[in-house]
Amino acid sequence: MMVQIHTLSVADFKHTMRNNDLYDSTIESMPELAVISIGNSFDDFDPDDIFSNGPSSRWFARRHRNVLNMTFDDITSPEKWQLLSQFGNSRHSDDSSGKPPVSSCDSVHDSSEAADHPGGNISAGKDYVLFDQDMAREIADFVDANHEARTWIVHCSAGISRSGAVSRWLKDWLKFKYGIDAVNVDGKYAIPNSHVLSELNRMFY
């Protein structure tokens, strides 16, 4: 049976976990399933909203051997991260000067809209989190520890940008390192974050 990689939005991910009774207390009983959960660095406006995807709305409250909780924002380059860190967090919701310079692919709950979210709990001066090589290594180590999983679920806010990059790399890594054929089941609309994919691809060299 071919390995399946599912690239989901946070809403679809939460529905899938709930519908399959997968919680902190049960996830480790499913060794054939591995989850990479990508959240935003800023606090959620409403943690109970199915679209919320920040630190206070993690479906899994802790890490498990087959669950990796990651936190980084949908930023496409170090240069854009520097601009966002300088200007993005001090803007108010009524600012009409344009959106912060990050990718718009993920969702209105992702970093591209965070500074514009009315009532958002964004601390003044808080830096957004740029994906880096340490994070890439953490993902690679997690995949290596779970390479026998038959089903992978990768999610971010919209299942498009960050998760799209991780899912594309995951398919190639399983084949490259373990000779495992995988199919990206739900990734046809993915537009992978170029920076995340580039950092992950450095694992091949």
Side-chain angles (χ1 to χ4, degrees):
M1 185 174 113
M2 183 169 291
V3 169
Q4 294 187 345
I5 301 170
H6 297 270
T7 309
L8 304 180
S9 69
V10 65
D12 287 341
F13 171 71
K14 289 179 177 180
H15 282 308
T16 298
M17 296 299 98
R18 183 181 62 193
N19 292 343
N20 289 277
D21 293 321
L22 294 173
Y23 301 93
D24 279 299
S25 60
T26 58
I27 187 63
E28 292 195 26
S29 68
M30 299 282 290
E32 69 277 12
L33 173 66
V35 174
I36 300 175
S37 174
I38 304 170
N40 307 321
S41 67
F42 50 86
D43 290 336
D44 296 307
F45 173 62
D46 182 3
D48 294 327
D49 191 320
I50 62 169
F51 296 103
S52 295
N53 192 30
S56 62
S57 69
R58 290 285 190 190
W59 184 263
F60 296 106
R62 60 185 185 274
R63 179 170 176 171
H64 300 272
R65 60 172 184 78
N66 57 339
V67 173
L68 176 62
N69 285 332
M70 301 291 295
T71 300
F72 58 91
D73 296 304
D74 192 31
I75 304 171
T76 56
S77 72
E79 294 75 21
K80 290 184 177 181
W81 172 69
Q82 290 173 351
L83 288 173
L84 182 64
S85 296
Q86 290 174 357
F87 303 113
N89 294 307
S90 62
R91 291 166 11 90
H92 299 287
S93 59
D94 60 351
D95 185 354
S96 60
S97 61
K99 300 192 185 309
V102 297
S103 170
S104 60
C105 293
D106 237 341
S107 85
V108 295
H109 291 270
D110 206 351
S111 58
S112 56
E113 298 285 347
D116 293 328
H117 198 291
N121 297 324
I122 301 172
S123 300
K126 175 178 172 60
D127 286 338
Y128 290 111
V129 177
L130 178 70
F131 188 80
D132 61 22
Q133 193 59 200
D134 288 339
M135 296 178 190
R137 173 50 61 191
E138 186 175 5
I139 291 176
D141 289 345
F142 176 77
V143 174
D144 290 345
N146 290 274
H147 70 272
E148 294 183 351
R150 306 306 298 174
T151 302
W152 289 83
I153 295 178
V154 185
H155 89 83
C156 58
S157 290
I160 294 174
S161 183
R162 292 169 292 175
S163 59
V166 172
S167 293
R168 178 177 293 185
W169 172 85
L170 173 59
K171 179 179 184 295
D172 293 340
W173 185 253
L174 289 173
K175 182 66 175 179
F176 170 78
K177 191 162 185 180
Y178 298 103
I180 296 173
D181 290 319
V183 58
N184 282 312
V185 178
D186 308 303
K188 62 181 179 179
Y189 298 114
I191 305 174
N193 180 301
S194 57
H195 172 71
V196 173
L197 188 58
S198 176
E199 289 295 306
L200 284 166
N201 281 340
R202 290 172 60 187
M203 293 292 103
F204 287 109
Y205 307 107

PDB file of all heavy atoms in Angstrom, residues 165-180:
ATOM      1  N   ALA A 165       4.715  23.172   1.384  1.00  0.00           N
ATOM      2  CA  ALA A 165       6.167  22.990   1.260  1.00  0.00           C
ATOM      3  C   ALA A 165       6.631  21.739   1.994  1.00  0.00           C
ATOM      4  O   ALA A 165       7.412  20.939   1.468  1.00  0.00           O
ATOM      5  CB  ALA A 165       6.895  24.224   1.801  1.00  0.00           C
ATOM      6  N   VAL A 166       6.147  21.550   3.219  1.00  0.00           N
ATOM      7  CA  VAL A 166       6.561  20.389   4.011  1.00  0.00           C
ATOM      8  C   VAL A 166       6.099  19.099   3.345  1.00  0.00           C
ATOM      9  O   VAL A 166       6.848  18.119   3.258  1.00  0.00           O
ATOM     10  CB  VAL A 166       6.022  20.493   5.450  1.00  0.00           C
ATOM     11  CG1 VAL A 166       6.296  19.193   6.220  1.00  0.00           C
ATOM     12  CG2 VAL A 166       6.661  21.683   6.165  1.00  0.00           C
ATOM     13  N   SER A 167       4.868  19.078   2.831  1.00  0.00           N
ATOM     14  CA  SER A 167       4.343  17.870   2.193  1.00  0.00           C
ATOM     15  C   SER A 167       5.117  17.512   0.935  1.00  0.00           C
ATOM     16  O   SER A 167       5.403  16.329   0.686  1.00  0.00           O
ATOM     17  CB  SER A 167       2.859  18.054   1.853  1.00  0.00           C
ATOM     18  OG  SER A 167       2.077  18.138   3.024  1.00  0.00           O
ATOM     19  N   ARG A 168       5.457  18.512   0.137  1.00  0.00           N
ATOM     20  CA  ARG A 168       6.224  18.231  -1.080  1.00  0.00           C
ATOM     21  C   ARG A 168       7.598  17.666  -0.728  1.00  0.00           C
ATOM     22  O   ARG A 168       8.054  16.689  -1.320  1.00  0.00           O
ATOM     23  CB  ARG A 168       6.383  19.487  -1.933  1.00  0.00           C
ATOM     24  CG  ARG A 168       7.216  19.240  -3.187  1.00  0.00           C
ATOM     25  CD  ARG A 168       7.318  20.463  -4.070  1.00  0.00           C
ATOM     26  NE  ARG A 168       6.028  20.809  -4.653  1.00  0.00           N
ATOM     27  CZ  ARG A 168       5.861  21.787  -5.541  1.00  0.00           C
ATOM     28  NH1 ARG A 168       6.897  22.514  -5.936  1.00  0.00           N
ATOM     29  NH2 ARG A 168       4.663  22.040  -6.030  1.00  0.00           N
ATOM     30  N   TRP A 169       8.251  18.287   0.244  1.00  0.00           N
ATOM     31  CA  TRP A 169       9.562  17.788   0.669  1.00  0.00           C
ATOM     32  C   TRP A 169       9.450  16.391   1.262  1.00  0.00           C
ATOM     33  O   TRP A 169      10.294  15.532   1.005  1.00  0.00           O
ATOM     34  CB  TRP A 169      10.166  18.742   1.699  1.00  0.00           C
ATOM     35  CG  TRP A 169      11.417  18.201   2.310  1.00  0.00           C
ATOM     36  CD1 TRP A 169      12.690  18.303   1.818  1.00  0.00           C
ATOM     37  CD2 TRP A 169      11.517  17.433   3.519  1.00  0.00           C
ATOM     38  NE1 TRP A 169      13.578  17.654   2.655  1.00  0.00           N
ATOM     39  CE2 TRP A 169      12.881  17.112   3.693  1.00  0.00           C
ATOM     40  CE3 TRP A 169      10.590  16.999   4.460  1.00  0.00           C
ATOM     41  CZ2 TRP A 169      13.340  16.374   4.783  1.00  0.00           C
ATOM     42  CZ3 TRP A 169      11.036  16.252   5.539  1.00  0.00           C
ATOM     43  CH2 TRP A 169      12.405  15.950   5.690  1.00  0.00           C
ATOM     44  N   LEU A 170       8.425  16.150   2.069  1.00  0.00           N
ATOM     45  CA  LEU A 170       8.237  14.858   2.722  1.00  0.00           C
ATOM     46  C   LEU A 170       8.150  13.732   1.697  1.00  0.00           C
ATOM     47  O   LEU A 170       8.773  12.671   1.859  1.00  0.00           O
ATOM     48  CB  LEU A 170       6.970  14.895   3.580  1.00  0.00           C
ATOM     49  CG  LEU A 170       6.506  13.591   4.212  1.00  0.00           C
ATOM     50  CD1 LEU A 170       7.581  13.005   5.120  1.00  0.00           C
ATOM     51  CD2 LEU A 170       5.197  13.818   4.979  1.00  0.00           C
ATOM     52  N   LYS A 171       7.388  13.935   0.642  1.00  0.00           N
ATOM     53  CA  LYS A 171       7.269  12.927  -0.416  1.00  0.00           C
ATOM     54  C   LYS A 171       8.639  12.593  -0.996  1.00  0.00           C
ATOM     55  O   LYS A 171       9.004  11.415  -1.171  1.00  0.00           O
ATOM     56  CB  LYS A 171       6.326  13.426  -1.509  1.00  0.00           C
ATOM     57  CG  LYS A 171       6.139  12.475  -2.680  1.00  0.00           C
ATOM     58  CD  LYS A 171       5.170  13.074  -3.685  1.00  0.00           C
ATOM     59  CE  LYS A 171       4.890  12.103  -4.818  1.00  0.00           C
ATOM     60  NZ  LYS A 171       6.096  11.818  -5.634  1.00  0.00           N
ATOM     61  N   ASP A 172       9.426  13.617  -1.300  1.00  0.00           N
ATOM     62  CA  ASP A 172      10.751  13.411  -1.895  1.00  0.00           C
ATOM     63  C   ASP A 172      11.718  12.776  -0.898  1.00  0.00           C
ATOM     64  O   ASP A 172      12.551  11.930  -1.265  1.00  0.00           O
ATOM     65  CB  ASP A 172      11.316  14.742  -2.393  1.00  0.00           C
ATOM     66  CG  ASP A 172      10.524  15.301  -3.563  1.00  0.00           C
ATOM     67  OD1 ASP A 172       9.807  14.524  -4.227  1.00  0.00           O
ATOM     68  OD2 ASP A 172      10.612  16.525  -3.804  1.00  0.00           O
ATOM     69  N   TRP A 173      11.636  13.181   0.383  1.00  0.00           N
ATOM     70  CA  TRP A 173      12.553  12.659   1.402  1.00  0.00           C
ATOM     71  C   TRP A 173      12.321  11.175   1.657  1.00  0.00           C
ATOM     72  O   TRP A 173      13.268  10.401   1.780  1.00  0.00           O
ATOM     73  CB  TRP A 173      12.377  13.462   2.685  1.00  0.00           C
ATOM     74  CG  TRP A 173      13.331  13.108   3.788  1.00  0.00           C
ATOM     75  CD1 TRP A 173      13.048  12.421   4.937  1.00  0.00           C
ATOM     76  CD2 TRP A 173      14.716  13.438   3.873  1.00  0.00           C
ATOM     77  NE1 TRP A 173      14.160  12.300   5.728  1.00  0.00           N
ATOM     78  CE2 TRP A 173      15.212  12.923   5.092  1.00  0.00           C
ATOM     79  CE3 TRP A 173      15.596  14.124   3.026  1.00  0.00           C
ATOM     80  CZ2 TRP A 173      16.531  13.057   5.492  1.00  0.00           C
ATOM     81  CZ3 TRP A 173      16.918  14.270   3.429  1.00  0.00           C
ATOM     82  CH2 TRP A 173      17.381  13.738   4.642  1.00  0.00           C
ATOM     83  N   LEU A 174      11.070  10.768   1.728  1.00  0.00           N
ATOM     84  CA  LEU A 174      10.768   9.352   1.935  1.00  0.00           C
ATOM     85  C   LEU A 174      11.317   8.500   0.801  1.00  0.00           C
ATOM     86  O   LEU A 174      11.843   7.403   1.029  1.00  0.00           O
ATOM     87  CB  LEU A 174       9.253   9.148   2.076  1.00  0.00           C
ATOM     88  CG  LEU A 174       8.616   9.670   3.359  1.00  0.00           C
ATOM     89  CD1 LEU A 174       7.091   9.566   3.281  1.00  0.00           C
ATOM     90  CD2 LEU A 174       9.132   8.927   4.587  1.00  0.00           C
ATOM     91  N   LYS A 175      11.211   9.018  -0.414  1.00  0.00           N
ATOM     92  CA  LYS A 175      11.743   8.275  -1.561  1.00  0.00           C
ATOM     93  C   LYS A 175      13.258   8.284  -1.567  1.00  0.00           C
ATOM     94  O   LYS A 175      13.910   7.251  -1.791  1.00  0.00           O
ATOM     95  CB  LYS A 175      11.198   8.883  -2.857  1.00  0.00           C
ATOM     96  CG  LYS A 175      11.662   8.146  -4.118  1.00  0.00           C
ATOM     97  CD  LYS A 175      11.100   6.731  -4.168  1.00  0.00           C
ATOM     98  CE  LYS A 175      11.447   6.047  -5.475  1.00  0.00           C
ATOM     99  NZ  LYS A 175      10.938   4.658  -5.533  1.00  0.00           N
ATOM    100  N   PHE A 176      13.851   9.443  -1.306  1.00  0.00           N
ATOM    101  CA  PHE A 176      15.302   9.610  -1.356  1.00  0.00           C
ATOM    102  C   PHE A 176      16.007   8.779  -0.294  1.00  0.00           C
ATOM    103  O   PHE A 176      16.985   8.085  -0.575  1.00  0.00           O
ATOM    104  CB  PHE A 176      15.635  11.093  -1.172  1.00  0.00           C
ATOM    105  CG  PHE A 176      17.097  11.396  -0.976  1.00  0.00           C
ATOM    106  CD1 PHE A 176      17.969  11.406  -2.047  1.00  0.00           C
ATOM    107  CD2 PHE A 176      17.591  11.676   0.297  1.00  0.00           C
ATOM    108  CE1 PHE A 176      19.319  11.691  -1.856  1.00  0.00           C
ATOM    109  CE2 PHE A 176      18.932  11.967   0.490  1.00  0.00           C
ATOM    110  CZ  PHE A 176      19.794  11.969  -0.596  1.00  0.00           C
ATOM    111  N   LYS A 177      15.520   8.817   0.925  1.00  0.00           N
ATOM    112  CA  LYS A 177      16.234   8.183   2.031  1.00  0.00           C
ATOM    113  C   LYS A 177      15.821   6.742   2.285  1.00  0.00           C
ATOM    114  O   LYS A 177      16.638   5.908   2.695  1.00  0.00           O
ATOM    115  CB  LYS A 177      16.055   9.004   3.309  1.00  0.00           C
ATOM    116  CG  LYS A 177      16.986   8.559   4.432  1.00  0.00           C
ATOM    117  CD  LYS A 177      17.124   9.590   5.514  1.00  0.00           C
ATOM    118  CE  LYS A 177      18.169   9.157   6.549  1.00  0.00           C
ATOM    119  NZ  LYS A 177      18.308  10.154   7.624  1.00  0.00           N
ATOM    120  N   TYR A 178      14.536   6.426   2.025  1.00  0.00           N
ATOM    121  CA  TYR A 178      14.036   5.104   2.394  1.00  0.00           C
ATOM    122  C   TYR A 178      13.467   4.307   1.213  1.00  0.00           C
ATOM    123  O   TYR A 178      13.045   3.162   1.409  1.00  0.00           O
ATOM    124  CB  TYR A 178      12.967   5.236   3.479  1.00  0.00           C
ATOM    125  CG  TYR A 178      13.517   5.842   4.743  1.00  0.00           C
ATOM    126  CD1 TYR A 178      13.274   7.177   5.071  1.00  0.00           C
ATOM    127  CD2 TYR A 178      14.309   5.097   5.614  1.00  0.00           C
ATOM    128  CE1 TYR A 178      13.790   7.738   6.223  1.00  0.00           C
ATOM    129  CE2 TYR A 178      14.837   5.654   6.775  1.00  0.00           C
ATOM    130  CZ  TYR A 178      14.569   6.975   7.074  1.00  0.00           C
ATOM    131  OH  TYR A 178      15.097   7.528   8.214  1.00  0.00           O
ATOM    132  N   GLY A 179      13.438   4.897   0.036  1.00  0.00           N
ATOM    133  CA  GLY A 179      12.862   4.208  -1.111  1.00  0.00           C
ATOM    134  C   GLY A 179      11.366   3.998  -0.986  1.00  0.00           C
ATOM    135  O   GLY A 179      10.803   3.091  -1.603  1.00  0.00           O
ATOM    136  N   ILE A 180      10.699   4.839  -0.184  1.00  0.00           N
ATOM    137  CA  ILE A 180       9.260   4.717   0.052  1.00  0.00           C
ATOM    138  C   ILE A 180       8.506   5.612  -0.923  1.00  0.00           C
ATOM    139  O   ILE A 180       8.760   6.819  -1.010  1.00  0.00           O
ATOM    140  CB  ILE A 180       8.917   5.116   1.500  1.00  0.00           C
ATOM    141  CG1 ILE A 180       9.561   4.138   2.485  1.00  0.00           C
ATOM    142  CG2 ILE A 180       7.405   5.163   1.699  1.00  0.00           C
ATOM    143  CD1 ILE A 180       9.416   4.543   3.934  1.00  0.00           C
TER     144      ILE A 180
END
